[in-house]
Amino acid sequence: MDRGGIFAGDDPFVLAKKWLAEAEASEVNDPNAIALATVDADGMPNARMVLLKDIESAAFVFYTNYTSKKGEEIAASGKAAFVMHWKSLRRQIRVRGVTEREEGQAADDYYASRSLKSRLGAWASAQSRPLSSRTALMAEVARVTATQGPNPKRPPFWGGVRLIPNEIEFWADGMFRLHDRFRWTRSAVGDPWDVVRLNP
């Protein structure tokens, strides 16, 4: 199968890192933004934009409040999907797989790398829950600032989600809507990837 050019390589995570690095040079804002999809208890889908923070050797990692809508839906199903689209490059990556929490040193390190206001904001926001006013939110920020101090620890309800894919699709724009698509699939982590070219 011809997978030369921008699709070349035997490791989809290395390829994803390469595409992201290229996007970082061309996208104006948030080249690591992903549209994350989950489903609720009734099977109704939800999608929202979040920032991908790491591409590991076998997983994609983002961070969230575990008590948020997405956090609860991910915990209930153990699955998620996302698409990462770069308008400037006319490329996208689609990922589907199972999830696990990252609540160890990697989560602590990432939390510590955020600005102090962002760290305090993670404590203050009951993400996805009703809010009476912005004034109430800022009052909660003031409260946690006083109680957590200048070096707050990572909240126990906030951390990473590692998405371990069983399917990754790389898409690139083609002339006359004849796009190039390659889908990588595997039955389980550790299994070899099966790569097929898809019709546009």
Side-chain angles (χ1 to χ4, degrees), residues 1-18:
M1 180 193 307
D2 176 22
R3 282 195 300 108
I6 63 171
F7 293 97
D10 297 322
D11 187 326
F13 299 99
V14 171
L15 183 55
K17 285 182 181 181
K18 181 175 182 290

Side-chain angles (χ1 to χ4, degrees), residues 16-196:
K17 285 182 181 181
K18 181 175 182 290
W19 281 25
L20 178 56
E22 292 172 3
E24 288 171 346
S26 60
E27 290 292 305
V28 176
N29 291 308
D30 298 329
N32 60 328
I34 59 176
L36 176 70
T38 58
V39 294
D40 66 15
D42 297 321
M44 182 65 73
N46 275 313
R48 77 289 284 164
M49 303 303 296
V50 301
L51 297 179
L52 184 70
K53 288 301 180 179
D54 196 14
I55 300 176
E56 299 177 337
S57 61
F60 298 86
V61 183
F62 59 92
Y63 291 85
T64 190
N65 183 318
Y66 293 139
T67 66
S68 66
K69 180 70 73 175
K70 63 180 172 294
E72 291 178 342
E73 291 177 354
I74 288 169
S77 71
K79 301 178 180 72
F82 72 76
V83 60
M84 177 179 279
H85 173 249
W86 298 294
K87 189 173 183 179
S88 62
L89 295 178
R90 299 181 181 274
R91 297 180 197 168
Q92 65 181 2
I93 300 174
R94 294 175 59 243
V95 177
R96 300 197 305 162
V98 298
T99 59
E100 65 181 28
R101 287 187 178 184
E102 169 50 73
E103 299 179 277
Q105 191 62 48
D108 291 340
D109 290 346
Y110 172 65
Y111 180 77
S113 75
R114 291 160 59 102
S115 70
L116 176 58
K117 289 184 178 180
S118 292
R119 283 178 280 156
L120 292 168
W123 276 99
S125 174
Q127 196 174 83
S128 303
R129 300 296 185 267
L131 178 65
S132 61
S133 68
R134 185 161 187 86
T135 300
L137 176 61
M138 299 316 293
E140 182 62 12
V141 171
R143 188 191 71 78
V144 299
T145 299
T147 58
Q148 296 298 325
N151 190 26
K153 291 185 178 180
R154 179 176 58 84
F157 52 82
W158 189 99
V161 175
R162 181 176 287 109
L163 198 164
I164 304 162
N166 51 34
E167 181 178 317
I168 306 174
E169 180 187 322
F170 294 86
W171 177 102
D173 182 65
M175 293 180 63
F176 314 114
R177 299 283 182 181
L178 299 178
H179 313 304
D180 288 307
R181 298 172 62 187
F182 289 93
R183 183 180 63 202
W184 301 60
T185 56
R186 61 183 178 182
S187 298
V189 175
D191 286 354
W193 291 99
D194 179 50
V195 187
V196 298

